[in-house]
Amino acid sequence: MLPSPTRPPRARTALLVAALLGLVVGLLPAFTAPAGAAPPVPDTAPRVAGAAAGMFRNPLNTGPDPFMTHWKGNYYLTTTQGNSIRMWRSPSLGTLATAAPVTVWTDSDPSRNRNIWAPEFYRFGDRWYLYYTADDGVDEHHRLYVLESEGDDPAGPYHFKAKLAPPNHANDFAIDAGILQLGGRLYLAYSGINQYQHNGLNIAPMSNPYTVSGNAVAINGAGGCPEVREGPEFLYRNGRVWMTYSTCDTGKPDYQVWMMSMPLDADPLVPGNWRQHQGAVFSRADDRGVFGPGHHAFFQSPDGTEDWIVYHAKSTSVNTYSNRTTRAQKFTWRADGSPDFGRPLAMGATQDLPSGDPGSGNSWINDDGRSSGPGGVTYTGAWNSGTGCATQCFWGDDHWSDRAGATATFTFTGTRIVLLSVKDTGNGYAAISIDGGPEQRVDFHNSIRVGEAVQYVSPRLPHGNHTLRIRVTGEHNSQSGASFVSVDRAEVYVN
């Protein structure tokens, strides 16, 4: 979630002639690091080039608080956008990052058109119901609302349906609606005021998808940090319902996921029916550069054979609400019937697409010229290169320069290219152009250092051979201490 005032504050210089290396390596059946190169971060290792169509890499979106489902041949994703609700739709998980957003909701009512957070959407009957929280500009005025679709399409259009408020919390702070479905009944689970936390877990009965029909009960969930229990989500399997939720302030690197469960035939409004599972079930992985993983949701692969978690995380250990990006990975089930979420994968880790996903044809190009498809990168002027960025970089290395006029040129075959690299306190402006066209000024500066940040997304291009040129300007904004530009990896799209 976004910050709340009621919560705690949340060179060595060398010219790299890499085009030939990229072409040569692209012909090999598998990749090996050049002699003398630093070993790769274990779970960021690229895969065989020929398998690119069946693989993807995170991030899926630059927003936090994701919710996603697969419906009639497409993935639908929402994330927190602030003053509207937007949705991304794509037939492949690998192409969500460049899908065009659809704005499905804005509101003219001043009591609920600000700070719109954490939308989630569910299908009941032949309509979709979109749940979200919003306020009037005052965080403590956050309340829960629901929209109803005009037809049977997750992307709407929608109309406003109702405010959701349990009678015993009619005028209390409430965020992060999640819908529990048991025995043909619906329940509203959310984070709000109770005797345990200001942001605590609550569950209330519903008589239909847009009506709360009774008081909320408080659930005393454990969590490692005292201040927050939020984002409840549900899994149903092996005779139990599993309620996962995020704990700690989301700005902290220790933001993490905990879990409770109960039998499917138990009453969720009886707090004693919920059994606490000890310890976090999904948490920071410092060795992989992943911090604050949480505010998650679940979805299945297109063929229904795999379970996946979608969540946000950061690539910095700084306590900050920025740099929360949407990521996804598959999870499995233990012999005792409980979900096993594993550890969050490093940003850029190459994963197999969900089973039944038609494939994206995406490929990557590393800053040293290695690639999983056609293309490479060449440099002019003075550039530094090395492995000092470690887990904050793809394949553990990058190039950087502050010399005005230095260029890095990616050659690629496809329809679109996305540039990811380090944003930092000493970074400056780059001038980026496609196929020798007009330059676009892009600021690589950030108030904290973060890796594999999305720096630039090209316009959609005719399928074919293209170039992306990055020119160091030697300039920077007034907050930056220098004018460096970082080159790490590019994602190439063919659809």
Side-chain angles (χ1 to χ4, degrees):
M1 302 307 307
L2 299 178
S4 161
T6 62
R7 310 180 198 177
R10 323 218 243 201
R12 60 186 171 89
T13 302
L15 296 178
L16 177 63
V17 183
L20 291 177
L21 177 60
L23 291 173
V24 172
V25 174
L27 297 175
L28 299 177
F31 295 103
T32 56
V41 177
D43 65 44
T44 61
R47 308 279 192 87
V48 178
M55 295 178 178
F56 79 101
R57 284 152 298 281
N58 287 314
L60 303 181
N61 189 275
T62 57
D65 307 335
F67 185 88
M68 184 158 63
T69 194
H70 188 270
W71 173 252
K72 291 188 175 180
N74 282 292
Y75 299 90
Y76 291 82
L77 169 71
T78 58
T79 63
T80 289
Q81 296 297 303
N83 294 332
S84 67
I85 298 175
R86 292 196 287 174
M87 194 172 288
W88 290 260
R89 173 174 49 200
S90 174
S92 175
L93 199 65
T95 52
L96 263 174
T98 56
V102 175
T103 299
V104 300
W105 184 250
T106 57
D107 202 328
S108 59
D109 186 326
S111 70
R112 58 172 193 253
N113 65 356
R114 304 278 297 279
N115 300 317
I116 299 172
W117 297 349
E120 300 195 359
F121 50 99
Y122 301 80
R123 185 174 184 263
F124 301 115
D126 59 356
R127 294 289 184 269
W128 290 84
Y129 293 87
L130 197 158
Y131 302 85
Y132 66 100
T133 181
D135 67 21
D136 57 2
V138 177
D139 179 74
E140 194 62 22
H141 294 168
H142 266 106
R143 302 292 185 266
L144 298 175
Y145 303 97
V146 59
L147 312 174
E148 183 181 63
S149 68
E150 302 287 348
D152 194 6
D153 186 343
Y158 285 91
H159 59 265
F160 184 81
K161 190 65 176 178
K163 178 181 178 181
L164 298 172
N168 59 332
H169 291 292
N171 295 301
D172 290 340
F173 175 90
I175 60 173
D176 294 1
I179 303 300
L180 169 61
Q181 306 174 58
L182 278 180
R185 298 195 62 186
L186 300 179
Y187 301 85
L188 175 69
Y190 67 97
S191 177
I193 291 173
N194 62 31
Q195 63 265 43
Y196 304 114
Q197 287 94 21
H198 179 277
N199 295 38
L201 296 173
N202 299 280
I203 301 177
M206 303 180 76
S207 56
N208 57 45
Y210 48 85
T211 305
V212 176
S213 57
N215 288 337
V217 299
I219 307 296
N220 186 15
C225 298
E227 70 272 17
V228 170
R229 309 286 183 265
E230 64 185 15
E233 296 293 332
F234 299 95
L235 291 166
Y236 313 84
R237 183 156 167 164
N238 301 323
R240 299 187 72 82
V241 54
W242 310 87
M243 177 170 65
T244 55
Y245 54 94
S246 299
T247 77
C248 302
D249 185 281
T250 192
K252 292 181 176 180
D254 286 318
Y255 192 62
Q256 57 193 244
V257 179
W258 284 58
M259 183 169 69
M260 307 178 81
S261 71
M262 73 172 196
L264 284 173
D265 58 359
D267 185 349
L269 298 178
V270 176
N273 287 339
W274 290 98
R275 179 170 68 86
Q276 182 71 55
H277 292 250
Q278 295 305 311
V281 294
F282 201 60
S283 58
R284 62 188 285 175
D286 295 39
D287 59 323
R288 296 175 173 181
V290 181
F291 303 93
H295 202 111
H296 59 292
F298 305 113
F299 66 99
Q300 287 194 314
S301 60
D303 65 6
T305 64
E306 296 173 347
D307 294 305
W308 286 70
I309 182 171
V310 60
Y311 61 98
H312 76 231
K314 300 180 294 187
S315 59
T316 175
S317 61
V318 174
N319 188 339
T320 177
Y321 298 102
S322 64
N323 182 236
R324 296 175 295 164
T325 60
T326 290
R327 313 168 187 202
Q329 62 189 71
K330 185 170 68 173
F331 69 91
T332 57
W333 296 83
R334 296 187 177 91
D336 68 359
S338 64
D340 182 359
F341 301 111
R343 302 178 67 226
L345 298 173
M347 179 84 93
T350 298
Q351 303 180 61
D352 292 331
L353 284 165
S355 181
D357 188 301
S360 64
N362 294 7
S363 60
W364 52 261
I365 304 172
N366 191 38
D367 67 284
D368 66 0
R370 285 174 289 183
S371 64
S372 63
V377 60
T378 57
Y379 298 86
T380 68
W383 288 84
N384 307 294
S385 64
T387 59
C389 58
T391 60
Q392 287 196 318
C393 285
F394 185 68
W395 203 233
D397 58 11
D398 71 341
H399 277 64
W400 65 96
S401 177
D402 64 348
R403 304 300 178 90
T407 67
T409 301
F410 286 89
T411 58
F412 64 98
T413 302
T415 59
R416 210 160 198 183
I417 190 168
V418 175
L419 178 67
L420 300 96
S421 65
V422 172
K423 287 182 176 286
D424 206 352
T425 57
N427 283 6
Y429 292 108
I432 297 180
S433 60
I434 294 288
D435 296 334
E439 290 184 330
Q440 178 178 331
R441 193 175 175 89
V442 177
D443 194 351
F444 282 46
H445 171 263
N446 198 53
S447 58
I448 57 173
R449 179 184 174 93
V450 294
E452 294 199 69
V454 175
Q455 306 276 20
Y456 173 80
V457 180
S458 78
R460 196 169 299 279
L461 306 165
H463 187 276
N465 298 323
H466 300 282
T467 60
L468 166 76
R469 191 183 77 155
I470 305 153
R471 180 176 62 83
V472 180
T473 66
E475 301 169 343
H476 60 82
N477 68 39
S478 58
Q479 286 75 46
S480 180
S483 302
F484 286 98
V485 168
S486 169
V487 173
D488 184 13
R489 73 167 160 121
E491 283 285 315
V492 177
Y493 296 80
V494 298
N495 297 322

